[in-house]
Amino acid sequence: MVHASLTSVYGPLGLKCEYGANPLGIDVARPRLSWLVNDPRYTRGCRQSAWQVLVASSLEKLEWDQADLWDSGKVPGSQSIHVEYGGPKLQSRQRCYWKVRTWSGGEEPTRWSAAAFWEMGLLHKSDWQAQWISSGLMDASGKPLACPMLRKTLTLGGVVRRARAYVAALGHYELSINGQRVGSD
């Protein structure tokens, strides 16, 4: 048996939503959550016996265990992969903060995991407000030229706290801002 004070330093690790750590642009109505069990009581022959997920609209609420979006309650079972979000319908661009804790047969849960998040993408056709851009360049047969470089200059007024570029491209693209590549997709 592990001393109770030792169990308090353990909690689930590797939180993922739809296979990504803190992903942006999730377009699944009910995202699936996964984690790795990290419990000193989880030894050979022992397994996760229950779990609980909290989802909140802000990190501050989550830190105070205020799950204003979803509190799964204690759910019996060993599932730690593809746990479907069970709260109210999510909105485009909505950010959701979450954490999880587990049980391994006893009454004492692990501590809560570190917080993670996911952010919803644009879920409805009406969310897309931008206009399609293209180079307008055609080959001799009238087909668009492949792999054009498209550039757009814009000036922002004020300090930018957070920004998102929603890119829909047929084929390969690389997004750069001020000559620096953005992301790894």
Side-chain angles (χ1 to χ4, degrees):
M1 174 120 180
V2 177
H3 190 274
S5 65
L6 293 177
T7 63
S8 65
V9 298
Y10 292 91
L13 301 170
L15 277 63
K16 294 196 175 187
C17 175
E18 291 297 321
Y19 303 100
N22 299 329
L24 304 175
I26 297 296
D27 62 356
V28 176
R30 298 223 169 258
R32 297 166 298 173
L33 309 174
S34 302
W35 58 87
L36 298 172
V37 175
N38 182 31
D39 187 334
R41 301 163 293 186
Y42 193 79
T43 59
R44 181 173 280 179
C46 182
R47 64 181 196 177
Q48 174 186 300
S49 61
W51 52 270
Q52 181 179 11
V53 170
L54 297 183
V55 182
S57 60
S58 73
L59 185 56
E60 293 77 21
K61 287 180 181 179
L62 189 65
E63 288 171 348
W64 287 99
D65 298 338
Q66 297 174 352
D68 59 332
L69 295 177
W70 183 46
D71 180 349
S72 68
K74 183 179 178 182
V75 178
S78 61
Q79 184 178 7
S80 63
I81 300 171
H82 297 154
V83 172
E84 191 174 283
Y85 165 77
K89 186 176 180 180
L90 299 171
Q91 304 300 313
S92 294
R93 300 180 189 92
Q94 183 175 3
R95 184 171 278 205
C96 301
Y97 297 88
W98 70 289
K99 62 184 178 180
V100 61
R101 65 180 176 178
T102 62
W103 285 259
S104 291
E107 290 301 315
E108 289 296 317
T110 61
R111 73 167 174 81
W112 289 104
S113 67
F117 70 86
W118 77 85
E119 187 173 295
M120 300 302 290
L122 302 178
L123 302 175
H124 310 287
K125 186 177 180 180
S126 61
D127 293 333
W128 292 89
Q129 300 295 319
Q131 299 297 314
W132 286 102
I133 59 173
S134 70
S135 68
L137 300 174
M138 304 288 182
D139 66 14
S141 67
K143 293 181 183 175
L145 285 176
C147 298
M149 181 178 284
L150 305 174
R151 295 175 184 219
K152 175 72 176 170
T153 301
L154 59 109
T155 303
L156 302 174
V159 177
V160 177
R161 196 173 121 229
R162 184 168 72 188
R164 292 284 176 265
Y166 295 98
V167 179
L170 296 175
H172 180 75
Y173 75 91
E174 286 184 17
L175 178 63
S176 298
I177 298 177
N178 295 332
Q180 297 294 314
R181 185 171 176 181
V182 176
S184 59
D185 294 337

